[in-house]
Amino acid sequence: MSALMSLSSCVARGAPTARLLRKLRDVRLAAGKFSKIGDAAAASGESVPGDAGTDSVIPPKLEILGRVNADGELVHDDDELPDNLFDAVGTAAGATFDAIQNGSMGNLVELRIPELWDPISGNVMAEAGDQLKVWEITREYVEQLSEKMGAGETVKAVFPDAGCAALLKARWPEASFSFASTNDRVLWTEGDSVLVFVAPDPPSLEAVRKASKIANENGSAVVLINPRLASGDAGLGVNF
Protein backbone atom coordinates (compact mmCIF):
# COMPACT_ATOMS: atom_id res chain seq x y z
CA MET A 1 0.00 0.00 0.00
CA SER A 2 2.83 2.38 0.86
CA ALA A 3 4.54 1.61 -2.43
CA LEU A 4 1.31 2.42 -4.34
CA MET A 5 0.89 5.63 -2.35
CA SER A 6 4.45 6.61 -3.17
CA LEU A 7 3.76 5.83 -6.80
CA SER A 8 0.57 7.94 -6.74
CA SER A 9 2.40 10.89 -5.18
CA CYS A 10 5.04 10.68 -7.90
CA VAL A 11 2.32 10.82 -10.55
CA ALA A 12 0.70 13.78 -8.80
CA ARG A 13 3.96 15.70 -8.75
CA GLY A 14 4.56 15.05 -12.41
CA ALA A 15 7.55 12.67 -12.05
CA PRO A 16 9.10 11.52 -15.32
CA THR A 17 7.54 8.49 -16.98
CA ALA A 18 10.75 6.40 -16.92
CA ARG A 19 11.10 6.83 -13.14
CA LEU A 20 7.47 5.76 -12.63
CA LEU A 21 7.96 2.62 -14.67
CA ARG A 22 11.14 1.74 -12.77
CA LYS A 23 9.38 2.07 -9.40
CA LEU A 24 6.47 -0.02 -10.60
CA ARG A 25 8.88 -2.76 -11.72
CA ASP A 26 10.65 -2.74 -8.31
CA VAL A 27 7.32 -3.17 -6.52
CA ARG A 28 6.41 -6.15 -8.72
CA LEU A 29 9.80 -7.81 -8.18
CA ALA A 30 9.53 -7.46 -4.38
CA ALA A 31 6.04 -8.91 -4.38
CA GLY A 32 7.25 -11.87 -6.48
CA LYS A 33 10.07 -12.67 -4.01
CA PHE A 34 7.76 -12.73 -0.99
CA SER A 35 5.31 -14.91 -2.91
CA LYS A 36 8.06 -17.51 -3.59
CA ILE A 37 9.13 -17.54 0.07
CA GLY A 38 5.56 -18.14 1.17
CA ASP A 39 5.07 -20.99 -1.32
CA ALA A 40 8.30 -22.70 -0.22
CA ALA A 41 7.37 -22.47 3.47
CA ALA A 42 3.91 -23.89 2.84
CA ALA A 43 5.38 -26.83 0.88
CA SER A 44 7.77 -27.71 3.74
CA GLY A 45 5.02 -27.63 6.34
CA GLU A 46 6.41 -24.58 8.18
CA SER A 47 4.35 -21.62 9.17
CA VAL A 48 4.80 -18.45 7.14
CA PRO A 49 6.00 -15.48 9.24
CA GLY A 50 3.32 -12.88 9.65
CA ASP A 51 0.60 -15.26 8.53
CA ALA A 52 -1.81 -14.78 11.43
CA GLY A 53 -4.63 -17.21 12.13
CA THR A 54 -2.82 -20.34 10.91
CA ASP A 55 -1.39 -23.08 13.17
CA SER A 56 2.26 -24.09 12.82
CA VAL A 57 2.76 -27.53 11.24
CA ILE A 58 5.16 -29.71 13.33
CA PRO A 59 7.03 -32.28 11.23
CA PRO A 60 6.87 -35.92 12.51
CA LYS A 61 9.74 -37.15 14.71
CA LEU A 62 11.99 -40.04 13.64
CA GLU A 63 12.53 -42.48 16.50
CA ILE A 64 15.19 -45.22 16.12
CA LEU A 65 14.24 -48.30 18.16
CA GLY A 66 17.15 -50.55 17.12
CA ARG A 67 18.03 -53.33 14.68
CA VAL A 68 15.65 -55.99 13.44
CA ASN A 69 16.33 -59.51 12.25
CA ALA A 70 15.17 -61.20 9.05
CA ASP A 71 11.74 -61.84 10.61
CA GLY A 72 11.26 -58.17 11.45
CA GLU A 73 11.71 -58.72 15.20
CA LEU A 74 13.64 -56.24 17.30
CA VAL A 75 17.18 -57.44 18.09
CA HIS A 76 18.62 -56.77 21.57
CA ASP A 77 22.31 -56.59 22.46
CA ASP A 78 22.03 -59.39 25.04
CA ASP A 79 20.22 -61.87 22.79
CA GLU A 80 23.48 -63.81 22.30
CA LEU A 81 24.03 -64.29 26.02
CA PRO A 82 23.09 -67.69 27.51
CA ASP A 83 19.99 -67.87 29.68
CA ASN A 84 21.44 -70.19 32.32
CA LEU A 85 24.44 -72.36 33.20
CA PHE A 86 23.57 -75.31 30.99
CA ASP A 87 22.75 -72.97 28.12
CA ALA A 88 26.27 -71.59 28.56
CA VAL A 89 27.66 -75.14 28.51
CA GLY A 90 25.77 -75.83 25.28
CA THR A 91 27.10 -72.62 23.75
CA ALA A 92 30.65 -73.63 24.69
CA ALA A 93 30.19 -77.09 23.16
CA GLY A 94 28.80 -75.59 19.96
CA ALA A 95 31.66 -73.09 19.71
CA THR A 96 34.21 -75.87 20.27
CA PHE A 97 32.63 -78.00 17.56
CA ASP A 98 32.70 -75.08 15.11
CA ALA A 99 36.36 -74.43 15.91
CA ILE A 100 37.28 -78.09 15.34
CA GLN A 101 35.37 -78.15 12.06
CA ASN A 102 37.38 -75.11 10.98
CA GLY A 103 40.66 -76.91 11.66
CA SER A 104 41.51 -75.80 15.21
CA MET A 105 43.65 -78.51 16.82
CA GLY A 106 44.04 -76.89 20.25
CA ASN A 107 41.05 -75.38 22.06
CA LEU A 108 40.64 -73.74 25.45
CA VAL A 109 37.26 -73.64 27.23
CA GLU A 110 36.73 -71.73 30.46
CA LEU A 111 33.38 -71.89 32.22
CA ARG A 112 33.81 -69.21 34.85
CA ILE A 113 31.57 -70.13 37.73
CA PRO A 114 32.93 -68.08 40.68
CA GLU A 115 31.75 -70.45 43.40
CA LEU A 116 33.23 -73.51 41.64
CA TRP A 117 36.27 -72.39 39.68
CA ASP A 118 38.92 -69.69 39.85
CA PRO A 119 41.34 -68.99 36.96
CA ILE A 120 44.32 -68.86 39.35
CA SER A 121 43.43 -71.40 42.04
CA GLY A 122 41.55 -73.81 39.78
CA ASN A 123 38.62 -75.80 41.14
CA VAL A 124 37.16 -74.34 44.32
CA MET A 125 35.75 -77.03 46.62
CA ALA A 126 34.43 -74.87 49.44
CA GLU A 127 31.30 -76.91 50.06
CA ALA A 128 30.54 -80.60 50.18
CA GLY A 129 29.45 -81.82 46.78
CA ASP A 130 31.17 -79.01 44.84
CA GLN A 131 33.52 -81.47 43.12
CA LEU A 132 30.60 -83.54 41.86
CA LYS A 133 28.97 -80.34 40.53
CA VAL A 134 32.13 -79.63 38.53
CA TRP A 135 32.14 -83.14 37.07
CA GLU A 136 28.43 -82.96 36.21
CA ILE A 137 28.93 -79.69 34.34
CA THR A 138 31.88 -81.27 32.55
CA ARG A 139 29.80 -84.30 31.66
CA GLU A 140 27.14 -82.08 30.09
CA TYR A 141 29.79 -80.30 28.02
CA VAL A 142 31.46 -83.51 26.78
CA GLU A 143 28.09 -85.16 26.06
CA GLN A 144 26.99 -82.22 23.90
CA LEU A 145 30.33 -82.06 22.11
CA SER A 146 30.19 -85.81 21.44
CA GLU A 147 26.64 -85.48 20.09
CA LYS A 148 27.69 -82.67 17.76
CA MET A 149 30.70 -84.63 16.51
CA GLY A 150 28.31 -87.38 15.39
CA ALA A 151 28.43 -91.14 15.20
CA GLY A 152 31.78 -92.67 14.38
CA GLU A 153 33.71 -89.84 16.09
CA THR A 154 35.12 -90.81 19.50
CA VAL A 155 35.46 -88.14 22.18
CA LYS A 156 37.63 -89.11 25.15
CA ALA A 157 37.42 -87.27 28.48
CA VAL A 158 40.72 -87.29 30.37
CA PHE A 159 40.40 -86.65 34.12
CA PRO A 160 43.18 -85.53 36.50
CA ASP A 161 43.63 -88.89 38.25
CA ALA A 162 42.75 -92.56 37.85
CA GLY A 163 40.47 -92.71 40.90
CA CYS A 164 38.31 -89.86 39.61
CA ALA A 165 38.08 -91.41 36.12
CA ALA A 166 37.08 -94.83 37.55
CA LEU A 167 34.48 -93.32 39.88
CA LEU A 168 32.81 -91.29 37.14
CA LYS A 169 32.91 -94.14 34.63
CA ALA A 170 30.99 -96.27 37.11
CA ARG A 171 28.61 -93.41 37.88
CA TRP A 172 27.85 -92.67 34.22
CA PRO A 173 27.61 -96.09 32.50
CA GLU A 174 25.57 -94.68 29.61
CA ALA A 175 27.98 -91.87 28.76
CA SER A 176 28.52 -91.32 25.03
CA PHE A 177 32.25 -90.68 25.49
CA SER A 178 35.16 -92.75 26.72
CA PHE A 179 37.16 -92.24 29.94
CA ALA A 180 40.85 -91.90 30.73
CA SER A 181 43.11 -90.23 33.27
CA THR A 182 46.42 -88.41 33.05
CA ASN A 183 47.92 -91.33 35.01
CA ASP A 184 47.33 -93.71 32.08
CA ARG A 185 50.42 -94.71 30.14
CA VAL A 186 48.66 -94.16 26.80
CA LEU A 187 46.09 -91.36 26.45
CA TRP A 188 45.56 -91.13 22.71
CA THR A 189 44.58 -94.31 20.92
CA GLU A 190 43.70 -94.87 17.31
CA GLY A 191 40.14 -93.79 16.64
CA ASP A 192 40.08 -90.95 19.17
CA SER A 193 38.81 -87.84 17.37
CA VAL A 194 38.97 -85.43 20.30
CA LEU A 195 40.82 -85.50 23.62
CA VAL A 196 39.11 -83.40 26.30
CA PHE A 197 41.33 -82.74 29.31
CA VAL A 198 39.02 -81.99 32.23
CA ALA A 199 40.39 -79.46 34.75
CA PRO A 200 44.03 -80.54 34.31
CA ASP A 201 46.35 -79.42 37.13
CA PRO A 202 50.11 -78.67 37.33
CA PRO A 203 51.12 -82.33 37.99
CA SER A 204 49.35 -83.22 34.73
CA LEU A 205 51.41 -80.77 32.66
CA GLU A 206 53.81 -83.23 31.07
CA ALA A 207 51.10 -85.79 30.32
CA VAL A 208 48.91 -83.12 28.71
CA ARG A 209 51.75 -81.79 26.60
CA LYS A 210 52.85 -85.24 25.40
CA ALA A 211 49.35 -86.51 24.64
CA SER A 212 48.40 -83.27 22.86
CA LYS A 213 51.41 -83.53 20.59
CA ILE A 214 50.63 -87.15 19.67
CA ALA A 215 46.94 -86.41 19.10
CA ASN A 216 47.64 -83.42 16.86
CA GLU A 217 50.19 -85.36 14.83
CA ASN A 218 47.48 -87.94 14.14
CA GLY A 219 44.87 -85.34 13.17
CA SER A 220 42.93 -85.35 16.46
CA ALA A 221 41.86 -82.15 18.21
CA VAL A 222 42.59 -81.36 21.86
CA VAL A 223 40.37 -79.42 24.28
CA LEU A 224 41.35 -78.11 27.70
CA ILE A 225 38.32 -77.30 29.83
CA ASN A 226 38.93 -75.14 32.91
CA PRO A 227 42.65 -75.91 33.01
CA ARG A 228 45.08 -74.81 35.73
CA LEU A 229 48.42 -75.83 34.30
CA ALA A 230 50.32 -73.03 36.02
CA SER A 231 51.15 -72.80 39.69
CA GLY A 232 52.14 -69.64 41.50
CA ASP A 233 55.20 -71.39 42.92
CA ALA A 234 56.63 -73.03 39.79
CA GLY A 235 55.19 -70.69 37.17
CA LEU A 236 54.57 -73.48 34.69
CA GLY A 237 52.06 -73.34 31.85
CA VAL A 238 51.16 -74.77 28.50
CA ASN A 239 50.61 -72.87 25.27
CA PHE A 240 48.72 -74.18 22.25
Side-chain angles (χ1 to χ4, degrees):
M1 179 65 72
S2 60
L4 293 176
M5 290 177 64
S6 177
L7 183 59
S8 301
S9 63
C10 291
V11 174
R13 294 176 184 173
T17 305
R19 188 180 300 172
L20 292 175
L21 293 175
R22 189 162 51 250
K23 285 202 171 191
L24 182 59
R25 184 188 62 186
D26 293 342
V27 171
R28 288 177 177 174
L29 287 174
K33 289 180 181 178
F34 283 112
S35 177
K36 290 179 180 179
I37 293 174
D39 293 342
S44 64
E46 299 176 357
S47 60
V48 181
D51 191 6
T54 60
D55 295 333
S56 299
V57 179
I58 302 175
K61 290 183 178 180
L62 177 63
E63 186 178 1
I64 300 176
L65 299 177
R67 298 176 292 110
V68 295
N69 57 22
D71 298 328
E73 299 174 346
L74 193 62
V75 177
H76 301 283
D77 292 337
D78 60 351
D79 285 347
E80 298 298 326
L81 296 177
D83 297 327
N84 50 54
L85 174 59
F86 285 99
D87 190 18
V89 172
T91 301
T96 306
F97 172 73
D98 292 340
I100 293 174
Q101 293 299 107
N102 287 322
S104 177
M105 304 301 288
N107 306 275
L108 176 65
V109 177
E110 291 184 346
L111 297 172
R112 300 202 172 190
I113 308 166
E115 63 270 22
L116 296 178
W117 186 78
D118 180 79
I120 297 177
S121 303
N123 289 325
V124 179
M125 307 302 175
E127 302 291 338
D130 281 354
Q131 187 174 35
L132 187 57
K133 291 179 183 177
V134 172
W135 301 144
E136 288 290 349
I137 292 169
T138 302
R139 176 193 180 185
E140 183 70 20
Y141 169 82
V142 182
E143 287 277 11
Q144 292 202 33
L145 178 60
S146 178
E147 181 181 345
K148 291 179 183 297
M149 292 297 297
E153 301 290 337
T154 302
V155 177
K156 179 181 286 183
V158 183
F159 292 89
D161 59 75
C164 176
L167 175 66
L168 296 177
K169 184 176 182 179
R171 188 181 184 88
W172 305 329
E174 299 179 357
S176 61
F177 53 90
S178 59
F179 293 80
S181 77
T182 53
N183 300 125
D184 295 348
R185 294 184 60 188
V186 178
L187 292 181
W188 181 89
T189 56
E190 188 174 354
D192 291 340
S193 302
V194 183
L195 286 184
V196 180
F197 288 93
V198 181
D201 51 17
S204 307
L205 173 62
E206 192 57 37
V208 171
R209 180 178 291 166
K210 182 179 178 181
S212 297
K213 181 180 179 182
I214 295 173
N216 288 167
E217 288 175 349
N218 287 275
S220 300
V222 175
V223 179
L224 304 185
I225 178 168
N226 283 5
R228 189 178 66 90
L229 289 172
S231 82
D233 297 331
L236 295 176
V238 65
N239 223 342
F240 276 93

